[in-house]
Every structure is written in structure tokens, then in C-alpha cells.
Amino acid sequence: MTESRRLDRLTSMMRRRGIVLPSFEIYGGVAGLIDYGPVGARIKRKVIDAWIHHWTSGGDIVEIDSPTITPKSVLVASGHVGEFNDHMSECKNCKSVFRSDHLIEAVHPNPDTLDGKQLDSLIESNGVKCPNCNEKDWADARPMNLMFPTTIGAMSNGREAYMRPETAQGMFMLFPSLYRHFKQKLPFGAVQTGRGYRNEISPRQGMIRLREFNMAELEYFIDPQNPPSGDLSSNKSEICLIPDPEGEFAGDKQMTFEEACGLGIIRHSTVAWFMSRTYGFLTGIGIDPHKIRFRQHAGSEMAHYATDCWDCEILGEYGWIECVGIANRTCHDLESHESHSGTNLMRSWRQFETPKKISGEALSPVGSVIGPIFRQRAGEVSSALSNLDEIPPSFPFKLALNDGSEVEITNDMATISKVDRNLHGEWFTPHVIEPAFGIDRIIWHLLDHSFVEDGKDEEEYVTLRLNEAICPYDVSIMPLFDKDGMDVYARSIFDKLLAIRGIQIDLDSSGSIGKRYARADEIGIPWAVTIDHTTLQDGTVTIRRRDDQVQVRVDSDDLFKHVSSGTIESLF
RNA sequence: GCGCCUGUAGUGAAGGGGUUAUCACAAGAGGUUUCCAACCUCUUGUCCCGGGUUCAAAUCCCGGCGGGCGCACCA
């Protein structure tokens, strides 16, 4: 039983039992696209439900839902269009492919601002050699667009759009609505689960790198001057932390979140709080706590929008895989959307404890003089005058306009007036802390960590020790014999349990009872209820616990009660 | 995108120019007082797709698609 074969056995089982399968297989399949089968879709639903509940149960976070089709302008503002239109250069000699901007990093301060032709000419003029074979024979740079383009509108004059590469932009678009919903008080957050799309060059590793994938993202809006944090001391677990290798705390650490935050390893208290709650979520649905670590991004690998980022990595058959990214996105997105869209709604009001007294002098433009002199430009001159921070000591003076030109202002064009008022607060752009979860990757690791092969002797016996919160079926009903009235009795229990909202029940009457237990164990059904001869006499059934095969006999009424309340465990 | 390896029932495998493609497990029907993958009978179901070579291709060749690994990429 070598470890690499375990991966094969797990993926075979997932196909065979309808958990996760390649998509469109009868047409040859498509790399990077997967289906969740009948069993897998149940697991996925439960993981997402658990995730939504985990974050919204505090009352300060709400769920939203926005389109996957996103107009280009939104993604220009977010930076994705620029970031995603990287160019690739191919060495004609050895066929190696490199990012064009990386090739000329040494000779240009901002290579990612260049277009294809500029990149080619710089590569040519600087004689850049292929890092692989040292030749200088480059093909023209080709854009590598990692977003799926589409068009809104069926006709040729449709609007350019992309399938969203992340769900986060939906939360930013709704910031004004969220701000009103939360009575204009920070902090608050919004979550969204749904599909994201990235046209990966080469998807690999099963459900780890997909082209269409399930994300669950949370944007938590805070006042940067008053960053909130929950009670970190409630989590006593020692966590594996890998701080920024270029920073002062380089080197693996093992400590609580509270300690790491106190020492400044985690730089932001709100980030620390979300790391702790992320840890709580993952372990709560069945991720092995010993296979979780948090790795801080070095400055050089940080996403274009983030100033501090921790990846939560989970260990599985593919090694350590990033499953959650917790980033401090600061005010980047809201500010960028405000300037690109021209709105002024992406802000929050910060009330001063005591109003600030503003007294000073201000220039008031005299319209009747400015108008005739500057004509079309009069409006611009007036607003430039009003916005002057410092009043020049004497007239006339040169006033700079937005277009770069200067005009002369004489003393008849403006009057100086005294200003006295109280400032009760100020507008600012909230900062955003974003935990972003890769749901498919988390599901993979849940399956990986639950997949236990512990057959006696030579025989392999597979149990999927899934946490009850995410099991595909809650209970499997098994008539010991599929006759003599046991079949009818089983059916009646099946129907009655199925009627309970949110409960999924499996009914299995084929094959020997041992085989049925094995089938149920393999897809992680935690409880098996058996109807036998005694049931027909006194209405009691046996309940078998998946993880240790222990059975108890209870009245079927008690079964209904405990299934409804999710307290079967208390019967043991 | 590149290189190497690879693709046979639901799953895992054997076969490697020539009768009707083989096996195990799984699945379906029936039988068996059947509580931890028991047994018996019967049944269903497979050569990734497209070209080429050949009298004959699952087998050899080419291309595509998919998978694994390495390089590159992974906001």
C-alpha cells in the first residue's frame, strides 16, 4: 500500500461512488472542469452551508449574490484586466515559454505596463537571452488572458465582459447598499459563494487547479484607524505559522494566534481574528488540525491589491496546497472603483468624538469677473480657486489648473472671507480584510483526511470518516431482510425521516448486511439503522455508528426525535 | 505551451496485427433465518476520438482529446 497509490484509490473511489468525476467525459472530457455527482454535490452543499452559517451567525456579516458575467470596466478598475493580460514570449530554439515582463525586469522599472510591441522591442534591443538555452531567438510576445472573455448583447455592438475571476467584486459593487443595510456603521461584512473562472494554461492535480471553480469569499469592511478584533485568547491551539521569509520573523513558528498577533508576526489584529476563525471553520468541518499551516506571503509574491496576505495551506496527497487566502486589501478596491466609476459612495463617515473647530480664510471666486475673462475655462478656474489649500500671500498670483496650465489671478477675481465652522467628522475609504476560500480544494482535503483504509489482514476496508456536518447522507436505512414485512417497515421509516427538512436518507436493501455497511462506510454515512425481526415485534431498531461499528437498540420514535435534533450521538 | 510516459466494462487490471477481447471487484434479477464486503445461479456492460498502413488494427503510424510526471505558468 504505497502512498502514491492511495491517491489513485481515492480518486477511483470518488468516480465510482459519484462524488467527483471528470466533466463531459463522453465527449472526451475537458481539462480543468469537474462534476460533483449525486454524493459529491450533497457534500459540497453542506460545506457551503456550513461556511455561510459560520460567518453570518455573528450578525455583522450578510450574504449577497451577484452575477458571474462582469463588465470589463469593473475588472479594469479592480486591476484584473491589466494583471491578466500578461504577455508570454517563446524561445524559438528550445520552445521554453516565459512571461515577457519577467524577461526585461532588469532593464525596465514597470515592465507590466508595456504592450506586446514594446515588450518585443525591449527584449530585442537589450539582447535578452533565454534563461533556459541562452539563445536570443524570441517569437513575438503573445497576450495570455487568464479570464474568459464574453460579450453582453447578442449583436456586434455588445459590451465587452468577462466571466468573473473572483466573487469579491460583487461585494464591492454592493458596498453602498451594504453600508445602508448596516445603518452606516463599520465594521460589517458580506459573503458570497459561487463560481469563479480562470482560463488556466495547464490545469493539473484533479480538483486542485480548475478552470471553473467554487469560491467562497468574505469582504470585511473596517475603519483602518480602529481595526476590530475578536477574542483571540479563546483559541488555545498552537498553529504552524510561516512568516514572511524576507521579514524579521523568518522561520517556522508554532504558537497561538494570540501570541503571533502580540509579537507582530501577524501584522493586523483583524487579519489575526479572521485567521483564527478560518482555523475554527476548517477544523470544525473535519480538516485535520495537524495538517493546517498559515504561510505569510513575501512582498514579492503579493497579489496586486494586497498589502499583507496569509495563505492557509492544507496538507494532502498533493502536498501543501493553498486553500484559503486571507488578505488585507486595504482601500484598494473601493478607492479604485470610486475613481474609475466617478461615484462618491464608496466611503464611510467617521464621527469625531469632539467636533473640530475649523477657522481660517478661504478664497471665494467672483464669478462676474472670472466669467468674462476666462469664458469656457471659468468654471475650472473657480473650482481651482475654491480648492486652494493655502491662500497666497499677495495678488496677483499664478494658479495651476488641472490640465497643467497656469492662469494669473488678480485681486478683483476673488474675495477673502473668514471661515468658522465645526467639523463633526470626515469621510474615508474603509479598508477590507478578505478571507477567500477555495471550496473545491477544501472538499478535496476533507475527503483526503477522511479516507481511512484500515482493513484487517489483506483486505482493504475503506471508511470515509466525514464529519457529520458534511456527510452526504445522514442515515442509511437497512432492512435485514428485504421481505417478511421488514421491507415495508424500512420504507415507512425511510419516508418519515426523509420528510424532516435538511435531512438526507439512504435506503439500501441489496446484498448482505455487511456489504451494505461497507457501502455506507465508503461514502461516509455516519449512522446505519437496521430493521430486523425484533423491530417487527416491538418497534425498536438498531443504530450502528460508522466509526467504531458499535450498535445500540432504540425505539423508532426515539430515532425520529434524535435525527430531527441531530443528537444521535447522545444515544451511545 | 514544451518534453517524457499514458488511455481496454462503473472501478482496477491482462491481452499487443488474425475466431465471439480476458479476469477480479462493482451493478441488476433470483435463491439462501443474511448483523459487518459470505455463497450459488443467471444477467448487463469495455478497446478515448479521427485519419492512415494492412486482406485484416484494441494492437503499428500520425493528429486531436483526456490523464500522470517534469519545465514554464498559477493575479
Side-chain angles (χ1 to χ4, degrees):
Chain A
M1 236 192 243
T2 61
E3 277 308 296
S4 66
R5 298 286 301 283
R6 180 178 183 270
L7 173 61
D8 296 337
R9 290 192 300 273
L10 175 52
T11 49
S12 294
M13 188 277 280
M14 284 162 59
R15 286 180 180 213
R16 189 161 36 79
R17 299 306 307 272
I19 299 177
V20 172
L21 313 83
S23 294
F24 310 113
E25 213 180 2
I26 63 169
Y27 287 102
V30 180
L33 300 180
I34 57 158
D35 284 349
Y36 286 91
V39 175
R42 287 290 314 161
I43 295 171
K44 169 172 165 265
R45 160 107 310 139
K46 286 203 173 181
V47 169
I48 289 175
D49 285 352
W51 189 87
I52 299 233
H53 180 259
H54 181 78
W55 297 110
T56 58
S57 57
D60 56 341
I61 295 170
V62 291
E63 183 185 2
I64 63 138
D65 191 53
S66 34
T68 59
I69 297 174
T70 309
K72 182 178 181 181
S73 46
V74 173
L75 296 163
V76 168
S78 70
H80 287 95
V81 169
E83 286 286 320
F84 272 56
N85 282 324
D86 290 329
H87 284 73
M88 302 290 285
S89 294
E90 182 179 353
C91 170
K92 288 185 195 167
N93 181 50
C94 70
K95 304 292 179 197
S96 297
V97 179
F98 303 91
R99 271 178 63 164
S100 313
D101 55 336
H102 287 182
L103 290 172
I104 53 168
E105 245 168 2
V107 298
H108 194 282
N110 268 320
D112 50 358
T113 59
L114 303 172
D115 66 25
K117 281 182 181 161
Q118 292 171 313
L119 288 163
D120 286 337
S121 74
L122 270 173
I123 289 171
E124 174 74 28
S125 63
N126 286 282
V128 175
K129 290 177 184 169
C130 171
N132 185 44
C133 68
N134 270 332
E135 286 295 315
K136 291 188 252 181
D137 190 12
W138 294 101
D140 287 350
R142 284 174 300 175
M144 170 190 70
N145 192 344
L146 289 184
M147 290 194 292
F148 287 95
T150 187
T151 308
I152 301 174
M155 304 306 281
S156 57
N157 58 354
R159 213 172 151 188
E160 274 188 275
Y162 296 95
M163 305 304 288
R164 67 181 176 197
E166 59 172 21
T167 63
Q169 298 307 319
M171 274 76 93
F172 298 130
M173 294 301 100
L174 281 185
F175 178 81
S177 171
L178 293 164
Y179 187 57
R180 282 193 299 274
H181 178 85
F182 282 104
K183 312 295 186 293
Q184 311 185 356
K185 283 193 195 74
L186 294 176
F188 59 77
V191 293
Q192 170 165 215
T193 64
R195 302 292 183 123
Y197 305 83
R198 297 177 190 183
N199 205 352
E200 295 280 352
I201 298 167
S202 90
R204 288 278 171 88
Q205 300 175 304
M207 49 196 298
I208 300 298
R209 272 175 73 185
L210 297 169
R211 290 192 161 120
E212 172 171 347
F213 51 98
N214 294 282
M215 331 175 70
E217 294 187 301
L218 158 56
E219 308 300 323
Y220 199 69
F221 299 98
I222 62 169
D223 180 347
Q225 289 185 3
N226 184 23
S229 173
D231 179 14
L232 287 173
S233 70
S234 60
N235 186 350
K236 302 282 184 214
S237 311
E238 301 250 319
I239 317 293
C240 177
L241 299 170
I242 305 176
D244 179 355
E246 297 161 9
E248 57 175 315
F249 298 107
D252 296 11
K253 303 283 185 296
Q254 196 80 30
M255 60 177 70
T256 65
F257 287 114
E258 188 178 26
E259 288 167 336
C261 194
L263 289 168
I265 294 175
I266 304 172
R267 297 167 191 153
H268 196 284
S269 61
T270 314
V271 170
W273 172 234
F274 279 105
M275 287 168 70
S276 178
R277 290 185 71 186
T278 293
Y279 180 85
F281 170 73
L282 293 174
T283 54
I285 58 170
I287 294 290
D288 184 344
H290 303 293
K291 294 178 177 173
I292 295 177
R293 71 182 189 191
F294 286 83
R295 197 175 58 81
Q296 190 172 35
H297 280 207
S300 51
E301 75 171 310
M302 212 94 75
H304 66 269
Y305 45 72
T307 61
D308 186 20
C309 187
W310 287 82
D311 282 348
C312 176
E313 299 181 328
I314 304 179
L315 182 62
E317 288 289 341
Y318 294 111
W320 288 100
I321 297 290
E322 172 197 351
C323 293
V324 185
I326 299 168
N328 176 5
R329 290 175 79 135
T330 67
C331 54
H332 168 272
D333 297 272
L334 290 179
E335 231 171 52
S336 184
H337 284 305
E338 188 162 284
S339 66
H340 278 80
S341 68
T343 184
N344 62 357
L345 295 173
M346 306 305 230
R347 304 175 186 184
S348 178
W349 178 254
R350 180 189 292 132
Q351 189 84 20
F352 296 140
E353 283 186 26
T354 52
K356 285 184 186 169
K357 264 204 158 24
I358 303 291
S359 55
E361 296 176 323
L363 277 184
S364 305
V366 179
S368 60
V369 179
I370 290 172
I373 293 176
F374 294 105
R375 301 199 172 243
Q376 293 95 330
R377 299 168 74 199
E380 210 182 324
V381 173
S382 293
S383 71
L385 269 178
S386 315
N387 290 335
L388 271 184
D389 291 330
E390 282 183 39
I391 296 173
S394 63
F395 288 91
F397 64 90
K398 300 277 188 193
L399 175 68
L401 300 186
N402 280 337
D403 62 6
S405 62
E406 284 190 346
V407 293
E408 191 174 70
I409 301 297
T410 52
N411 62 355
D412 55 340
M413 293 179 188
T415 55
I416 296 177
S417 53
K418 276 208 176 280
V419 178
D420 278 305
R421 61 198 180 98
N422 287 328
L423 259 189
H424 292 271
E426 61 188 336
W427 290 99
F428 69 101
T429 307
H431 283 206
V432 177
I433 308 298
E434 175 196 80
F437 290 65
I439 293 295
D440 310 283
R441 291 180 173 190
I442 289 169
I443 290 174
W444 164 261
H445 286 94
L446 285 170
L447 296 167
D448 184 326
H449 294 183
S450 313
F451 185 71
V452 176
E453 300 174 296
D454 58 356
K456 299 173 188 73
D457 305 324
E458 294 297 294
E459 207 174 26
E460 272 172 19
Y461 194 94
V462 170
T463 307
L464 206 57
R465 294 178 184 256
L466 288 176
N467 187 295
E468 226 180 312
I470 57 149
C471 56
Y473 291 94
D474 298 273
V475 178
S476 185
I477 307 293
M478 304 176 180
L480 191 57
F481 301 91
D482 198 24
K483 58 183 182 184
D484 301 340
M486 285 175 244
D487 50 345
V488 177
Y489 202 104
R491 182 77 212 186
S492 73
I493 290 185
F494 179 59
D495 290 339
K496 213 167 158 184
L497 287 174
L498 269 181
I500 302 171
R501 192 180 167 87
I503 298 291
Q504 286 290 314
I505 308 295
D506 173 57
L507 176 65
D508 192 352
S509 58
S510 67
S512 72
I513 191 71
K515 180 173 278 187
R516 285 180 260 164
Y517 288 146
R519 270 199 293 251
D521 288 344
E522 192 176 39
I523 59 168
I525 304 176
W527 312 107
V529 169
T530 307
I531 285 83
D532 56 16
H533 293 103
T534 314
T535 311
L536 300 177
Q537 289 159 22
D538 64 7
T540 61
V541 296
T542 63
I543 305 177
R544 169 188 178 273
R545 182 162 57 191
R546 175 193 68 206
D547 292 338
D548 59 5
Q549 296 89 49
V550 170
Q551 281 184 297
V552 295
R553 182 171 281 279
V554 301
D555 196 87
S556 54
D557 287 339
D558 286 338
L559 173 70
F560 300 134
K561 208 167 65 194
H562 284 95
V563 171
S564 310
S565 57
T567 53
I568 299 179
E569 185 71 53
S570 67
L571 294 167
F572 286 78

